[in-house]
């Protein structure tokens, strides 16, 4: 194999790899992204960021899942409070109630409308309660999410 052929093959491989990464990045950019999953031995919190067209409402979905041996406390006023957004976006509400969807899961839906393209940071405080056979525990977890306008 000549030196020129080797260089041509190396450039072709590099181009193919770069093209594949660009295509994958573009595909992923159109999907909501998960900001973080946090928790302890009694629960986990998963945050799915919002992505919507400018001036169209998007949804940040927060899911609290009680760990094995625990259940979501549907008698507690599960909510996200003190919601705030930086940048050019508008929140539908400053407080959002959580829905207990089954005995282990609480779902919150934060509606946000980006007023300009780009990322807008959303913050707040997630309040919820999980119970085991012996007791119930109230939790407060900071919300850090992103609403992206496209």
């Amino acid at each position: 194999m000549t030196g020129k052929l080797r260089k041509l093959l190396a450039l072709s491989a590099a181009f193919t790899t770069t093209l594949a990464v660009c295509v994958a990045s573009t595909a992923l950019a159109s999907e909501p992204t998960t900001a973080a999953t946090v928790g302890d031995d009694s629960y986990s919190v998963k945050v799915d960021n919002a992505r919507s067209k400018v001036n169209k409402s998007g949804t940040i979905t927060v899911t609290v899942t009680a760990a094995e041996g625990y259940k979501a406390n549907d008698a507690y006023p599960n909510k996200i409070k003190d919601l705030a957004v930086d940048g050019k976006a508008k929140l539908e509400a400053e407080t959002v109630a959580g829905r207990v969807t089954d005995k282990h899961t609480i779902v919150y839906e934060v509606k946000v409308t980006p007023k300009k393209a780009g990322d807008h940071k959303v913050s707040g405080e997630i309040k919820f309660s999980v119970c085991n056979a012996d007791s119930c525990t109230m939790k407060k977890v900071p919300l850090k999410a992103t609403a992206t306008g496209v």
Side-chain angles (χ1 to χ4, degrees):
M1 186 181 293
T2 68
K4 285 184 179 182
L5 183 57
R6 264 188 282 228
K7 284 182 184 178
L8 184 59
L9 288 173
L11 283 173
S12 175
F15 175 75
T16 303
T17 302
T18 302
L19 181 61
V21 168
C22 288
V23 168
S25 296
T26 301
L28 290 174
S30 65
E31 301 288 323
T33 58
T34 299
T37 302
V38 298
D40 63 20
D41 63 343
S42 64
Y43 73 94
S44 66
V45 177
K46 178 181 161 201
V47 178
D48 291 314
N49 290 319
R51 183 177 182 84
S52 64
K53 291 184 178 181
V54 171
N55 293 317
K56 300 288 182 188
S57 181
T59 303
I60 296 168
T61 304
V62 178
T63 306
V64 175
T65 305
E68 189 170 329
Y70 289 83
K71 67 177 186 82
N73 184 353
D74 61 355
Y76 184 79
N78 301 297
K79 62 186 170 187
I80 301 176
K81 66 176 207 162
D82 301 329
L83 282 163
V85 64
D86 69 357
K88 296 279 187 173
K90 183 177 182 227
L91 290 163
E92 189 174 286
E94 291 181 16
T95 300
V96 173
R99 275 182 298 115
V100 176
T101 58
D102 63 41
K103 67 181 187 174
H104 295 288
T105 310
I106 306 165
V107 176
Y108 308 82
E109 293 180 337
V110 179
K111 302 287 186 187
V112 60
T113 302
K115 298 297 182 184
K116 88 177 210 190
D119 291 343
H120 309 285
K121 302 294 179 198
V122 178
S123 62
E125 182 179 61
I126 309 164
K127 295 177 71 173
F128 61 95
S129 176
V130 293
C131 305
N132 62 17
D134 299 322
S135 66
C136 292
T137 306
M138 281 68 71
K139 302 284 187 176
K140 292 180 182 178
V141 178
L143 170 65
K144 293 182 182 179
T146 303
T148 302
V150 292

